[in-house]
Amino acid sequence: MSRRPRKKDVPAQGAGRPTVSVCRGCCCGTEKIPGVDHAAQLARLRSGLEGTATVRAVECLDACEQGNVIVVQPSAEGRRAGGRPVWLGLVNDEHAEQDIVTWAGAGGPGLADAPDILDLYVFNPSRRVSAGLDG
């Protein structure tokens, strides 16, 4: 029998807050998307959402024609309230980043309304692609 104390109902990191997945694969986050400081973009998102959302760089999300791609996933509470992942494409300027920070910081999908301007960035990936993010 182990003498180590058991972890009691420790929630997964970020379970109570939205997750912002930033594509950093074959196209997004590379020189294939010119005119964007990709490292600074990721740093600004992490800094702006510190303590309110989990920001993670992920491998290619297979939506390269929409690069840079960012997916805002709801927290557990947001999902219970009806929130679903929102895919944003062509996020290549600091204004869009700031709108994402504002929205995710306020609770994200299911808990806060996205700024209207983000409607211009929303796209629907194929079912195969979107299933890969949750899988």
Side-chain angles (χ1 to χ4, degrees), residues 32-44:
K32 290 181 183 178
I33 311 288
V36 179
D37 184 339
H38 302 285
Q41 180 185 56
L42 186 57
R44 284 189 297 269

Side-chain angles (χ1 to χ4, degrees), residues 19-30 41-42 45 56-73 85-91 123-135:
T19 298
V20 177
S21 298
V22 183
C23 185
R24 288 296 180 256
C26 67
C27 296
C28 297
T30 72
Q41 180 185 56
L42 186 57
L45 289 166
R56 63 187 187 140
V58 297
E59 290 298 317
C60 183
L61 291 172
D62 201 19
C64 300
E65 68 282 356
Q66 296 289 333
N68 285 329
V69 175
I70 295 177
V71 183
V72 182
Q73 297 169 268
V86 176
W87 288 66
L88 304 165
L90 305 173
V91 182
F123 73 98
N124 293 314
S126 70
R127 279 185 263 171
R128 178 187 59 80
V129 168
S130 62
L133 185 63
D134 288 330

Side-chain angles (χ1 to χ4, degrees), residues 49-126:
L49 289 167
E50 188 173 355
T52 60
T54 300
V55 177
R56 63 187 187 140
V58 297
E59 290 298 317
C60 183
L61 291 172
D62 201 19
C64 300
E65 68 282 356
Q66 296 289 333
N68 285 329
V69 175
I70 295 177
V71 183
V72 182
Q73 297 169 268
S75 63
E77 181 183 1
R79 191 169 286 275
R80 283 190 298 274
R84 296 292 173 257
V86 176
W87 288 66
L88 304 165
L90 305 173
V91 182
N92 299 320
D93 66 82
E94 291 183 42
H95 299 292
E97 293 167 24
Q98 187 55 51
D99 288 335
I100 293 166
V101 166
T102 299
W103 176 40
L111 300 179
D113 291 330
D116 289 339
I117 193 72
L118 287 182
D119 288 346
L120 298 173
Y121 297 87
V122 173
F123 73 98
N124 293 314
S126 70

